[in-house]
Amino acid sequence: MKKQLISLQRKYLVLNIFMLFFISNLLAQEAERPFIWVKQSERSQILEKIAQEPWATSLYTKFLNRADEDFNVYQKSPELFLKKLPFNWEAQKPKQIPPLKIIIRTGPQEKLSAPKKYIEYCLQVAIDCGVLYYLTNDEKYAQCGLDILHTFIESISQLPYPTESGNNGIIYPEDHLYESRVINAQIPIIYDFITPFIKKGGMPYDFVKNKKVLFNNAKAQKVFKNYVELVINQGMTGSNWSVLEAPSMVQNLLALDNVSDRKKYINVYLNEGSPRQDPLSTIASFYKNPGDVYPETSNYSNAVASYSTVLMTMLTKYDPSLNLIEKYPNIPLGLSRWEAMKYPNGELVRFGDAPRTGGTSYAYCEYAYYLGEITETPDYKKTFGYLIATAISEDTYQRDELNPRSFPSRAYFEPLQLLWYSKNLKGEIIPQKQPRTDNLVHASVFLQRNESADENPENGLMCFVGGAAMVHGHATGMNMELYGKGQVLGVDNGNGNYKLDLHENYSRLFAAHNTVIVNGNSQSEGGWANLGQNPVELVSMEPMPLKEAVSPNFSFTQTSFLDDKGDKAEAEEQRTLALIRTSETTGYYVDVFRSKSKLPNQYHDYLYHNIGDALVFENKDLTLVPTPNRYMANANNKWVANRTYRHPGWHFFENVETSSQYNKEVKATFNTEKIEGKPIYMGLHIPGFDDREYTKVKAPLTFSAPKPYDTLATPTLVIRKKGEAWIAPFVVVYEPYNETVNNKSVQSVEKLMQDGMYKGLKIKSKTPNGLIIQYIITQAEHELYENKENGIIFKGVFAIITLDRNEELTEMYIGNGEELHFKNNSIKKISGENFAAYLHFNNSEPLLETNGKCMVQLANGKQITVE
């Protein structure tokens, strides 16, 4: 009897579990809409936020006013409003809304024509009306959204579904990547917000039948499913495409009424993926540590973190048991990474197809904060609360800013400002200084900065060396940028409209960068868009990325690069770039670029682009003559868009003027005198070497340069060395300064040689604190430099000795080395690896900073030992 009772209890338990499972699935399948962005249960809290928070009231008022302006156009004549869409009237069937026209995007990154733009405009208007129906319960907004939804569903249902994999859309048959963002991702959101109105008996207006009709939900469900399948079957893995298309996939799968289909497709998005679609788990593999970014250029990388954060939030709200915040915590944290990649004036370091401006989007930081709020994740609230609060305090961001209705190639998330911004945002404003050095691993960018104590952007110094292959990367070689007096002066060209000759055959190639071209044939090969190159490798650096510096005034990087793509360069290169501050308002850069090829008859060209009006040589005996054909050898080479290029791209140079061989020291200045405010200059000191030819050219405009230089040619210097450039490398001292062309601090530059090999420089500077003399030594690891006349011995990579006007020692710096001697003063390692050290004097008292075990011996007999 007891066994029978237990058996019966088990049967009832199984039955109850089954019934609960059935009911929960039924409830999920019949879940009350909306639930993609918000749930009906959240409405009262959002309305309370709008009523009580001044910023939310202001934001809502702006949103309502803009939506009403568009709604009023619709309300005057729904028929005329809808008929403006680009329909294919010739394909219209009797008494049916015609299909939309098939749109073929041709030519370079074309601007949207009015009819194409109107498609996106209609969809955004419909979403806004859906949001206002949710907030106000005013059915006039629901009617507008439903009319637009019905029109699109009826029209799109008549268009053929792509049967082949590739980048094939429905309206844009050759560009699903574009269509998925600006069309496909929007339609399910309209449906989600308007469904309650339909269930109450709401009927859409059909402008062909000129009456209200029943909404065909079966057609809508088919469209949503087709859109999900399009993302799975179209596109490209291994790039940001999978993420850019993901809003279409996730929002459409959540628009499906069948809960089993939703579950299946969520698993595809999160875990399974497809040959044409990377799942979120694959995207997350690039975010191993907090602060990691997706390995593309800044804007594309940022879009990956931004979109993924929004989609993780949607799915977390839909099904918290997915535990996405626990599985992939570092994706949203990537949103803040680009802040550390900004110059003191707020502009971004630039490489590849990246803009100069951008970085952190505070709207997406708000969404990440909201994700932290709903998942009770303190780190998110702390990180993003700080970023938002700091931006508000610095007046670079206000929460009531309504993002403008615009038509870039992205999904429309702007209404989330009203729905997701937290009512109870808390952020502690803690002053933080950017690190002295940093590194973007995927781009092989090695960055140095030295901000002034007064935090004046004009007095900050910053530079980077970098170069690597990536999606949306360029073939740059070992490139650099230089910042000074409030502007990026030594510039990367950037990118304009894709597919244009200028973009393909200049902006993407070596000639558009501050690099070296070998044998006139440095080029890319393989990789994304056949723009593959080897990564720049770090040889030595002080301070190492994100580490404490031993000196407040000095830092350096030494990097290497193998230029072996194609078969005509075959070169090994090394670059040492040092940032040297000499006072709160003065400083300079030292660039030493070594290059040698395996090929006979080698020659090397050092390129430097600086925004400005002109490059002026001070040497009166340096005569330049027109050489219009100097860089034209490859001008007519075969060009296949996105595949084969006219390397190295310097056929775009104009007004080419070249010297004969000139072996003396060269002084030159880039004059930049049209920027609003003070004029800016970049002074150049170039030690004399044999077999040098100097050329000045007008390179193409620099994109995103300050006005008016964004429309003017870029003055550019090219130095040619016939034969190897290793023993006698390219050496240039760059000094940014302002006010007058005679305001420079660097007075003279002399090269230091040993046994015919370049070893360093002796630089005299007139600073606000007086005249100083600096010896700067750059060589390979374990090499020895000995100058008995000056009493200098150095074994190591990089070192600086600073003397005052009386030639008394004030500083000794080892960036990477074993020992440094100046007369009777020395710093030596005791044991272990090479070390960094900085010895300076405060009222004659020696002070030492070091990261290794070393001993200091001073001329007065004092010793300092660090074990």
Side-chain angles (χ1 to χ4, degrees):
M1 184 68 181
K2 188 175 181 181
K3 289 183 179 179
Q4 288 178 340
L5 183 59
I6 292 173
S7 177
L8 188 60
Q9 288 174 336
R10 284 177 177 170
K11 286 180 181 180
Y12 277 114
L13 180 60
V14 171
L15 181 61
N16 285 335
I17 292 172
F18 174 79
M19 288 302 294
L20 285 171
F21 177 79
F22 176 78
I23 292 169
S24 65
N25 273 274
L26 185 63
L27 288 173
Q29 189 160 345
E30 297 296 329
E32 183 183 18
R33 291 192 182 274
F35 63 75
I36 298 179
W37 285 358
V38 285
K39 297 175 182 177
Q40 197 65 34
S41 59
E42 297 173 273
R43 180 173 175 271
S44 61
Q45 293 176 340
I46 295 170
L47 291 175
E48 182 182 275
K49 174 177 66 179
I50 292 170
Q52 295 179 358
E53 297 295 321
W55 66 265
T57 305
S58 174
L59 181 60
Y60 174 74
T61 301
K62 293 173 183 177
F63 181 82
L64 177 64
N65 289 341
R66 184 176 71 183
D68 275 347
E69 187 176 332
D70 299 323
F71 172 78
N72 291 337
V73 176
Y74 153 82
Q75 194 173 41
K76 285 179 182 178
S77 174
E79 179 182 3
L80 291 178
F81 185 90
L82 296 168
K83 276 187 174 180
K84 287 183 182 179
L85 287 165
F87 291 112
N88 183 0
W89 291 97
E90 295 179 358
Q92 183 185 23
K93 295 178 182 178
K95 296 183 180 181
Q96 287 192 23
I97 292 172
L100 287 168
K101 284 183 178 178
I102 298 295
I103 300 173
I104 304 296
R105 299 185 80 205
T106 58
Q109 206 177 24
E110 64 171 354
K111 294 181 179 178
L112 279 177
S113 63
K116 298 172 188 175
K117 186 174 180 179
Y118 196 75
I119 295 177
E120 300 175 30
Y121 167 74
C122 275
L123 293 171
Q124 292 182 20
V125 169
I127 289 176
D128 289 354
C129 284
V131 171
L132 286 174
Y133 172 59
Y134 169 77
L135 293 174
T136 67
N137 284 328
D138 192 332
E139 293 185 353
K140 69 180 183 182
Y141 295 118
Q143 189 66 57
C144 175
L146 180 55
D147 293 350
I148 294 172
L149 176 65
H150 166 76
T151 302
F152 272 89
I153 293 296
E154 292 296 323
S155 179
I156 291 170
S157 295
Q158 301 173 56
L159 296 174
Y161 179 85
T163 56
E164 296 182 1
S165 291
N167 184 24
N168 307 305
I170 294 175
I171 297 172
Y172 288 86
E174 296 178 356
D175 200 345
H176 174 259
L177 177 64
Y178 182 81
E179 181 183 331
S180 67
R181 287 174 282 175
V182 302
I183 299 176
N184 305 359
Q186 326 308 351
I187 296 176
I189 300 302
I190 307 168
Y191 173 78
D192 194 51
F193 278 113
I194 300 302
T195 294
F197 178 64
I198 297 173
K199 289 189 174 182
K200 287 171 60 177
M203 298 171 65
Y205 168 72
D206 188 302
F207 71 85
V208 172
K209 295 182 175 68
N210 195 26
K211 65 177 183 179
K212 290 187 176 181
V213 299
L214 290 174
F215 178 71
N216 193 326
N217 192 50
K219 279 187 180 179
Q221 291 296 307
K222 186 175 181 182
V223 167
F224 302 146
K225 198 166 189 176
N226 281 344
Y227 283 165
V228 175
E229 291 288 342
L230 275 176
V231 175
I232 294 171
N233 296 319
Q234 305 298 324
M236 176 176 66
T237 58
S239 74
N240 62 32
W241 280 34
S242 293
V243 178
L244 297 181
E245 294 173 324
S248 175
M249 181 179 186
V250 172
Q251 295 185 155
N252 275 288
L253 74 84
L254 290 176
L256 296 175
D257 290 340
N258 187 295
V259 71
S260 297
D261 284 342
R262 281 186 226 148
K263 184 177 180 180
K264 177 182 75 173
Y265 287 130
I266 285 173
N267 188 50
V268 174
Y269 167 68
L270 294 178
N271 304 307
E272 290 184 359
S274 76
R276 291 279 178 175
Q277 177 70 14
D278 285 329
L280 184 63
S281 56
T282 296
I283 302 301
S285 67
F286 295 99
Y287 295 84
K288 293 182 175 64
N289 304 297
D292 285 350
V293 298
Y294 193 76
E296 295 192 17
T297 54
S298 59
N299 51 332
Y300 293 100
S301 176
N302 224 17
V304 171
S306 298
Y307 275 21
S308 297
T309 296
V310 170
L311 299 181
M312 286 171 65
T313 306
M314 284 184 208
L315 290 174
T316 296
K317 287 165 65 67
Y318 174 74
D319 184 359
S321 69
L322 293 170
N323 294 323
L324 298 180
I325 199 75
E326 296 176 17
K327 293 177 181 176
Y328 311 124
N330 294 328
I331 294 178
L333 292 174
L335 288 168
S336 62
R337 181 65 175 98
W338 293 97
E339 284 298 297
M341 294 292 113
K342 287 185 176 180
Y343 290 103
N345 67 352
E347 294 182 337
L348 279 167
V349 301
R350 184 159 64 185
F351 52 90
D353 292 339
R356 181 65 75 190
T357 57
T360 300
S361 166
Y362 295 110
Y364 287 97
C365 287
E366 294 263 17
Y367 305 152
Y369 184 94
Y370 175 69
L371 178 58
E373 192 171 52
I374 63 175
T375 57
E376 298 181 351
T377 306
D379 286 350
Y380 277 34
K381 296 173 72 175
K382 180 179 178 181
T383 298
F384 296 107
Y386 157 74
L387 284 170
I388 297 164
T390 302
I392 292 172
S393 71
E394 295 174 351
D395 202 27
T396 56
Y397 168 68
Q398 296 301 325
R399 301 189 82 195
D400 69 339
E401 291 176 0
L402 178 63
N403 289 331
R405 192 187 295 291
S406 57
F407 304 95
S409 302
R410 58 180 173 82
Y412 182 59
F413 290 138
E414 277 68 15
L416 291 175
Q417 292 179 273
L418 269 178
L419 305 176
W420 285 7
Y421 280 16
S422 173
K423 176 185 177 183
N424 302 309
L425 177 72
K426 294 180 181 178
E428 187 176 0
I429 303 172
I430 305 172
Q432 292 186 353
K433 279 205 165 189
Q434 297 287 18
R436 285 280 300 277
T437 59
D438 210 332
N439 168 222
L440 270 181
V441 176
H442 76 276
S444 287
V445 163
F446 301 95
L447 174 156
Q448 304 173 63
R449 65 160 54 84
N450 194 304
E451 297 184 277
S452 62
D454 62 5
E455 299 183 355
N456 184 345
E458 285 195 9
N459 295 327
L461 296 169
M462 184 167 153
C463 59
F464 80 82
V465 172
M470 72 198 85
V471 177
H472 285 288
H474 291 172
T476 66
M478 190 155 45
N479 182 36
M480 77 166 180
E481 283 197 327
L482 301 178
Y483 173 91
K485 297 305 171 185
Q487 298 292 338
V488 185
L489 298 174
V491 289
D492 177 289
N493 178 251
N495 70 291
N497 288 338
Y498 296 160
K499 301 182 183 179
L500 288 181
D501 186 14
L502 178 66
H503 177 70
E504 294 254 319
N505 293 307
Y506 178 71
S507 299
R508 283 178 158 185
L509 309 184
F510 276 67
H513 303 88
N514 298 321
T515 189
V516 163
I517 293 173
V518 180
N519 302 330
N521 279 289
S522 293
Q523 60 184 272
S524 61
E525 184 178 41
W528 179 81
N530 204 25
L531 288 168
Q533 70 162 58
N534 292 310
V536 170
E537 302 282 356
L538 182 64
V539 177
S540 183
M541 185 174 188
E542 201 288 311
M544 289 295 286
L546 306 179
K547 301 297 183 182
E548 291 292 323
V550 298
S551 165
N553 300 320
F554 312 135
S555 61
F556 86 101
T557 59
Q558 188 174 90
T559 51
S560 65
F561 177 68
L562 186 61
D563 185 356
D564 67 348
K565 302 303 179 184
D567 57 6
K568 297 180 181 179
E570 302 301 315
E572 176 186 349
E573 297 177 347
Q574 183 189 85
R575 188 168 208 163
T576 303
L577 181 62
L579 186 162
I580 299 167
R581 179 176 286 283
T582 53
S583 76
E584 276 301 302
T585 58
T586 59
Y588 56 87
Y589 303 97
V590 175
D591 186 32
V592 181
F593 201 124
R594 302 179 189 272
S595 184
K596 59 184 177 182
S597 172
K598 297 178 181 178
L599 302 178
N601 303 316
Q602 62 180 299
Y603 62 97
H604 305 259
D605 286 272
Y606 174 97
L607 280 70
Y608 175 72
H609 309 69
N610 197 104
I611 59 167
D613 307 302
L615 166 61
V616 179
F617 289 102
E618 297 180 21
N619 302 56
K620 300 301 181 183
D621 61 342
L622 181 62
T623 303
L624 304 178
V625 298
T627 51
N629 296 319
R630 186 172 178 86
Y631 304 116
M632 300 303 291
N634 298 337
N636 296 313
N637 282 7
K638 183 180 179 181
W639 169 33
V640 178
N642 225 35
R643 195 69 209 156
T644 304
Y645 310 100
R646 292 169 178 160
H647 292 290
W650 54 13
H651 58 283
F652 277 91
F653 292 166
E654 297 180 347
N655 298 351
V656 180
E657 297 180 344
T658 305
S659 73
S660 57
Q661 285 194 11
Y662 190 85
N663 304 331
K664 301 178 185 177
E665 176 193 0
V666 171
K667 295 182 181 180
T669 306
F670 285 92
N671 301 328
T672 308
E673 298 177 330
K674 294 186 175 71
I675 295 177
E676 187 176 343
K678 297 177 183 177
I680 301 174
Y681 304 93
M682 179 67 90
L684 278 65
H685 292 260
I686 308 170
F689 288 100
D690 293 338
D691 302 317
R692 294 293 199 269
E693 295 172 358
Y694 292 86
T695 302
K696 69 175 182 178
V697 308
K698 289 289 188 181
L701 61 84
T702 295
F703 294 101
S704 303
K707 294 183 181 303
Y709 299 106
D710 56 343
T711 61
L712 301 178
T714 305
T716 298
L717 169 68
V718 186
I719 308 172
R720 177 167 292 182
K721 169 66 167 66
K722 293 182 178 178
E724 57 79 25
W726 195 274
I727 294 175
F730 298 104
V731 181
V732 185
V733 175
Y734 293 95
E735 182 192 10
Y737 60 98
N738 57 13
E739 296 184 355
T740 72
V741 73
N742 298 315
N743 199 38
K744 63 185 72 173
S745 67
V746 175
Q747 304 296 297
S748 66
V749 174
E750 301 174 29
K751 65 178 182 285
L752 304 175
M753 304 290 290
Q754 180 173 287
D755 300 327
M757 175 177 281
Y758 170 81
K759 286 291 184 176
L761 298 170
K762 177 184 179 182
I763 300 177
K764 290 184 180 180
S765 298
K766 186 178 180 181
T767 76
N769 302 321
L771 183 72
I772 62 170
I773 301 166
Q774 291 179 307
Y775 292 92
I776 299 160
I777 307 162
T778 59
Q779 56 189 12
E781 190 172 14
H782 305 307
E783 282 189 1
L784 178 68
Y785 171 67
E786 187 170 5
N787 187 320
K788 293 181 180 178
E789 180 182 347
N790 294 315
I792 298 173
I793 300 173
F794 175 57
K795 189 175 184 180
V797 177
F798 187 83
I800 297 176
I801 296 168
T802 304
L803 313 177
D804 63 18
R805 66 182 308 127
N806 299 316
E807 299 195 14
E808 294 293 324
L809 178 67
T810 62
E811 295 173 306
M812 291 177 72
Y813 168 74
I814 297 178
N816 182 331
E818 301 174 47
E819 59 182 295
L820 175 63
H821 301 257
F822 177 71
K823 296 183 177 176
N824 293 321
N825 305 279
S826 66
I827 309 174
K828 293 182 181 180
K829 75 174 183 180
I830 295 174
S831 62
E833 301 293 325
N834 282 8
F835 68 102
Y838 176 61
L839 174 70
H840 60 116
F841 297 88
N842 182 17
N843 297 324
S844 299
E845 285 300 313
L847 300 173
L848 177 69
E849 299 289 338
T850 182
N851 65 5
K853 299 177 180 180
C854 66
M855 183 178 72
V856 174
Q857 178 70 56
L858 299 178
N860 62 10
K862 285 187 177 181
Q863 285 188 351
I864 304 173
T865 303
V866 178
E867 293 287 352

